[in-house]
Amino acid sequence: MMRVDDLVTAIAALQRSDLEAWIRDELVVPRQEVGSLLFTEMECARIRLICTLRYELEIDTDTLPIVVSLIDQLYDTRQRLLSLTAAMAAQDKTVQAAIIAALERDEGSSAARNVT
């Protein structure tokens, strides 16, 4: 867990005022303990990502919440796909084969729709 001062020191590009705005906009959600804000490793990684988006890729301040939301949705979709893959792997071979066949039929239908 990192405190605000430690985080601002650790991430050279990070501006304290920007971090405060991101907290206010709930782009990052630190834990509050004994009057200070603490950031988990996950939140620190999120702040590094937001810094890259804002400072290196120059994503506009007003656009930043939208981009972060889209990244969150993509991450959630990836996690669901991993869960689905694990659930499929736990099935017997007959069920797996039926699922693969259904996916292939669906892909064929999608390809046919895209050609027309």
Side-chain angles (χ1 to χ4, degrees):
M1 301 277 264
M2 292 185 84
R3 298 184 191 291
V4 173
D5 293 334
D6 298 330
L7 193 55
V8 171
T9 301
I11 303 173
L14 180 58
Q15 302 294 312
R16 186 183 194 102
S17 59
D18 288 338
L19 179 58
E20 291 168 353
W22 300 340
I23 293 168
R24 188 175 50 254
D25 294 342
E26 297 180 351
L27 293 178
V28 291
V29 183
R31 293 183 184 172
Q32 183 140 7
E33 292 182 16
V34 192
S36 63
L37 300 176
L38 299 174
F39 297 87
T40 63
E41 284 300 314
M42 184 68 85
E43 286 296 321
C44 290
R46 186 177 180 86
I47 291 167
R48 286 186 189 90
L49 172 64
I50 293 170
C51 284
T52 299
L53 293 170
R54 180 69 188 106
Y55 305 134
E56 293 177 30
L57 299 177
E58 299 178 357
I59 301 293
D60 186 59
T61 303
D62 295 334
T63 307
L64 195 58
I66 296 166
V67 173
V68 171
S69 174
L70 291 171
I71 291 170
D72 288 342
Q73 290 175 44
L74 184 59
Y75 177 79
D76 183 56
T77 300
R78 181 176 181 271
Q79 292 305 107
R80 288 174 179 248
L81 184 56
L82 288 171
S83 295
L84 180 61
T85 301
M88 185 176 147
Q91 301 304 311
D92 64 51
K93 298 295 181 195
T94 306
V95 173
Q96 290 178 11
I99 293 170
I100 290 169
L103 289 172
E104 288 172 349
R105 280 192 306 272
D106 186 56
E107 287 174 3
S109 299
S110 295
R113 283 190 297 256
N114 291 333
V115 170
T116 59

